[in-house]
Amino acid sequence: DNAFLKNPNDGNWYVKDSGPPMADAKRYVDWVLTVPLLLIELIMVIDVPQGEKHSLMARLGIAAVLMICAGYPGELLDDNIRVRWLWFSVSMVPFLYIMFSLVIELGDATERQPEEIQYWLVAARVLTVVSWLTYPAIYLGKCLGLRGPKAVCFEQM
């Protein structure tokens, strides 16, 4: 079965509806598992002092779960822009804490590393921050009124 069909009347292409879209719940469950692990893994490869390492892993792991869990209600209630904005704002608190930790706290730890690996640790932190900045931007699409197939396409790209 083709996903794209050509309308014989006007020659335009359209997307054939194949049923309900991918469940956002599956994506969020995946994130709840993988995002904290990614942060913990990043902390483990940086030589954070032993006394701080476990605390930082716990704080960032918990912040990641809170961020994801706070964003999900807004996904479910995306027809109500006020509610979506509320959950966006709530989820941004742990998000900004994570960004601060990646840039500042792990920046200090990176400087204590051997010079030959500092570049790679900085690159890993920067790539994480830059790629994660796309998530709030995508979430904002529906907050700003993007609806229907355009919203789905915007989120999936």
Side-chain angles (χ1 to χ4, degrees), residues 131-151:
S131 65
W132 280 26
L133 289 174
T134 61
Y135 291 107
I138 291 167
Y139 197 94
L140 278 173
K142 287 183 182 174
C143 288
L144 299 173
L146 197 58
R147 295 281 178 261
K150 288 181 182 178

Side-chain angles (χ1 to χ4, degrees), residues 21-134:
M22 182 183 99
D24 288 329
K26 292 177 185 173
R27 190 170 63 223
Y28 276 79
V29 168
D30 174 66
W31 289 341
V32 164
L33 297 171
T34 58
V35 170
L37 291 174
L38 175 114
L39 292 169
I40 290 168
E41 188 175 40
L42 190 56
I43 293 165
M44 290 177 76
V45 299
I46 296 177
D47 190 23
V48 176
Q50 198 60 34
E52 298 173 28
K53 185 177 282 195
H54 294 293
S55 170
L56 187 58
M57 287 190 296
R59 285 182 287 140
L60 289 183
I62 291 168
V65 170
L66 290 174
M67 170 186 71
I68 295 160
C69 290
Y72 187 58
E75 279 293 325
L76 292 176
L77 306 167
D78 65 354
D79 290 339
N80 186 330
I81 292 178
R82 282 188 179 158
V83 171
R84 191 168 175 87
W85 273 108
L86 169 73
W87 288 110
F88 171 79
S89 301
V90 171
S91 68
M92 285 304 292
V93 173
F95 177 83
L96 292 173
Y97 172 71
I98 292 168
M99 294 296 105
F100 169 81
S101 296
L102 286 173
V103 173
I104 305 300
E105 287 187 81
L106 292 181
D108 295 340
T110 300
E111 291 176 6
R112 294 190 297 265
Q113 304 301 308
E115 199 170 306
E116 59 271 10
I117 64 166
Q118 284 184 10
Y119 170 83
W120 297 108
L121 295 174
V122 168
R125 288 178 24 247
V126 169
L127 285 172
T128 302
V129 168
V130 169
S131 65
W132 280 26
L133 289 174
T134 61

Side-chain angles (χ1 to χ4, degrees), residues 1-7 12-18 153:
D1 236 2
N2 294 330
F4 298 95
L5 300 172
K6 190 171 187 176
N7 186 333
N12 289 326
W13 289 89
Y14 66 96
V15 177
K16 179 182 173 186
D17 186 8
S18 61
C153 183

